[in-house]
Amino acid sequence: MTFGFAPSSAASLSTTAASAHRVLEPAEWAAAGIPLLRNPREVVSGLHSRHRPGPATAVVAVLDPDERLRASASFIRRPSPADGWMFRNALLAQLRRVVPHDLRRRTPVRTAVLLNCREGDGRWTEEDGAWMWGLRDACTLHGLRCGAYITLTRDGWQVLGEGRGGRRPSAVSTPEALGTAEAPPPSPRTGGAASEVLRRAAAR
């Protein structure tokens, strides 16, 4: 699915001032207590195989407590200033489309993660900070836990704020077959979460 941004003239006038408050620095993100993914490569490979993202494509996914994929959606960001408020609205629209909110729960049980395929390397940029701000706010408004923010570039993938990453998949690599992407890791894990990741996805 393609989702574009068309900022209004009023929004354009206040972009610089707004962006200063709608960007999370790496230190702020690290201090926010974002839950760690148990197997980030499995999550990244699964989303890469299902959505085949190219540059300027974002994939938002909702995981259950066992790290099984419950819903996901991809959309393309058209060129526009990096603004966390706009990113928040885009993410919230996708979340509302693919999964019901959890606002009635006292404590969130599902987690949203964001995979952002973009140009450049895996180092933090102001645009990443805007996506982080947008993800955190969208999760709050949809009753979800804010999860990992992952960049996917030509160099590979990187979980920002955690220092974990890998060379495959990358923005230019061929997606793995779904069975390969779902293969369980060598370390023992209960529940067969890996085999369920994409089979239980509610939406693309």
Side-chain angles (χ1 to χ4, degrees):
M1 176 176 178
T2 301
F3 188 95
F5 295 85
S8 66
S9 57
S12 299
L13 291 174
S14 59
T15 294
T16 302
S19 295
H21 301 288
R22 294 169 181 162
V23 172
L24 288 180
E25 298 285 342
E28 295 176 293
W29 183 256
I34 305 300
L36 300 178
L37 289 170
R38 288 177 300 198
N39 193 330
R41 186 187 183 283
E42 181 180 310
V43 173
V44 174
S45 295
L47 294 177
H48 185 252
S49 297
R50 174 164 290 275
H51 292 277
R52 300 171 182 257
T57 303
V59 181
V60 61
V62 178
L63 309 178
D64 70 10
D66 293 323
E67 216 166 90
R68 290 186 292 246
L69 182 62
R70 291 304 184 185
S72 64
S74 61
F75 57 100
I76 296 175
R77 176 192 175 241
R78 294 176 182 169
S80 63
D83 186 345
W85 183 78
M86 294 175 66
F87 291 168
R88 185 275 309 274
N89 290 345
L91 291 169
L92 197 55
Q94 298 301 318
L95 289 171
R96 286 170 174 165
R97 185 174 67 85
V98 300
V99 69
H101 68 74
D102 279 346
L103 294 173
R104 292 185 180 88
R105 293 183 177 274
R106 286 175 174 246
T107 305
V109 296
R110 296 185 293 182
T111 302
V113 300
L114 178 61
L115 175 69
N116 183 26
C117 185
R118 61 167 175 76
E119 300 289 354
D121 56 32
R123 290 176 293 183
W124 183 90
T125 66
E126 185 175 335
E127 179 179 313
D128 292 325
W131 278 115
M132 290 171 167
W133 190 97
L135 177 62
R136 184 184 66 176
D137 216 44
C139 287
T140 298
L141 293 174
H142 207 63
L144 302 170
R145 289 200 307 171
C146 180
Y149 173 75
I150 307 160
T151 58
L152 187 70
T153 67
R154 291 175 176 270
D155 297 333
W157 58 274
Q158 182 77 23
V159 184
L160 293 193
E162 294 185 21
R164 293 192 290 174
R167 292 185 178 181
R168 291 186 63 86
S170 72
V172 294
S173 65
T174 302
E176 298 177 359
L178 292 183
T180 304
E182 294 172 345
S187 57
R189 286 173 59 183
T190 59
S195 64
E196 296 284 334
V197 168
L198 296 176
R199 186 161 62 85
R200 288 177 167 269
R204 179 171 179 166

